Amino acid sequence: MSIVVTGATGHLGRHVVEQLLEKVPAEQITAVVRDKAKAADFAARGVKLAVADYNAPETFDGLFAAGDKVLLISGNEFDKGRVRQHQVVIDAARAAGVALLAYTSAPGSLTAALADDHRATEEVLLASGLPYSLLRNGWYHENYTENLAPVLEHNAVVAAAGEGRISSAARADYAAAAVAVLTGEGHENTTYELGGDEAWSLAEYAAELSRQTGKEIAYNAVTVEVMEGILTGAGLPAPVATILAGVDASVVKGELVVSTGDLSRLTGRPTTPLAEAVTAALKG
């Protein structure tokens, strides 16, 4: 029996594999990657590597074995048909008879276009008859803290999120929840709504940045249309800009507040505070 992680060299996947290595022997972990070179550090520690691509279904033939537990980390190629990509993995997992397929989804409360592929993938997974666990990940601190350069350059946080609040957590927190499901028992046919312990607003985020940098950083609330223009001006393709600005509109409606406590319950510890993520980002 292997624990198989797709997208293992991505931001979230790396955290998952690193944390799995603390819990189970390396030879029980299979990292699914597109480029073996990017996973050389995992291989050196005894992790098995499998080269496969969501866009090439045949590369998943025979990749899984009966009894495997699989983490399907959602793809980020919005233009390649993510539901079809995910179905490739689900079909291969069903053919092999895996024991569990966990999928990193989006909060059930999220109605933004970003959630459409996740809802459709959930439908495919449920229809497959596989034992499943839906890990409905909320927003990541890093969605903000990894994009500090323009904020610090202009001394402003710009968003179309109004006074809406966000229950974000660190990638490492969501990875810990996935590891708990993959290494624990009794997670078949479960849905977890995952988010940080503390919800915050963009104004509070700007205030925290001000406190830690000693600069006066404002929160400039703009309309969704203006936000789309800013994102396309920064080089994002128009469809992606529309999706991201749409998330801000959902924030206004409170759709990124997740108050179930599932994340800290699964991990057995409080989620990482936003202030801690800001400190780490400013050091980096």
Side-chain angles (χ1 to χ4, degrees), residues 159-173:
E163 295 174 14
R165 302 182 78 75
I166 301 161
S167 310
S168 65
R171 278 200 194 101
D173 295 329

Side-chain angles (χ1 to χ4, degrees), residues 17-253:
V17 175
E18 288 288 351
Q19 293 186 37
L20 279 172
L21 283 164
E22 296 171 10
K23 292 271 185 85
V24 299
E27 61 269 19
Q28 288 183 17
I29 306 168
T30 299
V32 182
V33 299
R34 288 183 183 177
D35 181 353
K36 262 190 174 175
K38 288 185 179 173
D41 57 325
F42 290 153
R45 292 159 74 184
V47 173
K48 294 177 191 166
L49 301 186
V51 178
D53 188 325
Y54 295 154
N55 300 306
E58 68 280 1
T59 60
F60 280 90
D61 291 346
L63 196 155
F64 304 120
D68 283 352
K69 289 185 177 179
V70 179
L71 177 63
L72 169 54
I73 294 181
S74 54
N76 58 5
E77 296 176 315
F78 295 100
D79 57 338
K80 294 264 181 84
R82 292 198 299 168
V83 181
R84 181 183 52 76
Q85 290 180 328
H86 298 157
Q87 179 148 16
V88 165
V89 181
I90 293 166
D91 288 348
R94 183 178 56 189
V98 306
L100 181 74
L101 192 144
Y103 171 66
T104 60
S105 192
S109 53
L110 187 63
T111 63
L114 179 74
D116 293 349
D117 288 350
H118 292 298
R119 295 289 92 83
T121 299
E122 289 183 3
E123 287 177 15
V124 171
L125 178 51
L126 267 58
S128 74
L130 280 169
Y132 67 87
S133 184
L134 301 180
L135 305 175
R136 289 180 168 170
N137 289 356
W139 221 225
Y140 300 159
H141 292 332
E142 289 89 347
N143 290 344
Y144 296 98
T145 60
E146 284 181 354
N147 298 295
L148 280 179
V151 173
L152 299 176
E153 183 186 341
H154 300 292
N155 292 330
V157 173
V158 181
E163 295 174 14
R165 302 182 78 75
I166 301 161
S167 310
S168 65
R171 278 200 194 101
D173 295 329
Y174 293 108
V179 168
V181 166
L182 294 168
T183 59
E185 298 299 327
H187 297 288
E188 293 81 8
N189 306 329
T190 52
T191 300
Y192 296 110
E193 297 285 349
L194 304 173
D197 296 336
E198 302 276 338
W200 49 274
S201 68
L202 270 295
E204 289 167 348
Y205 174 56
E208 183 60 34
L209 286 170
S210 300
R211 186 180 73 78
Q212 292 201 30
T213 61
K215 300 165 81 173
E216 192 56 49
I217 295 176
Y219 168 43
N220 293 343
V222 297
T223 64
V224 169
E225 292 72 26
V226 168
M227 195 66 209
E228 281 187 42
I230 290 169
L231 293 170
T232 51
L236 282 180
V240 177
T242 300
I243 285 171
L244 292 179
V247 172
D248 275 5
S250 283
V251 171
V252 173
K253 293 185 274 188

Side-chain angles (χ1 to χ4, degrees), residues 233-267:
L236 282 180
V240 177
T242 300
I243 285 171
L244 292 179
V247 172
D248 275 5
S250 283
V251 171
V252 173
K253 293 185 274 188
E255 293 177 4
L256 276 174
V257 173
V258 179
S259 53
T260 59
D262 282 355
L263 183 51
S264 50
R265 255 197 308 279
L266 272 178
T267 61

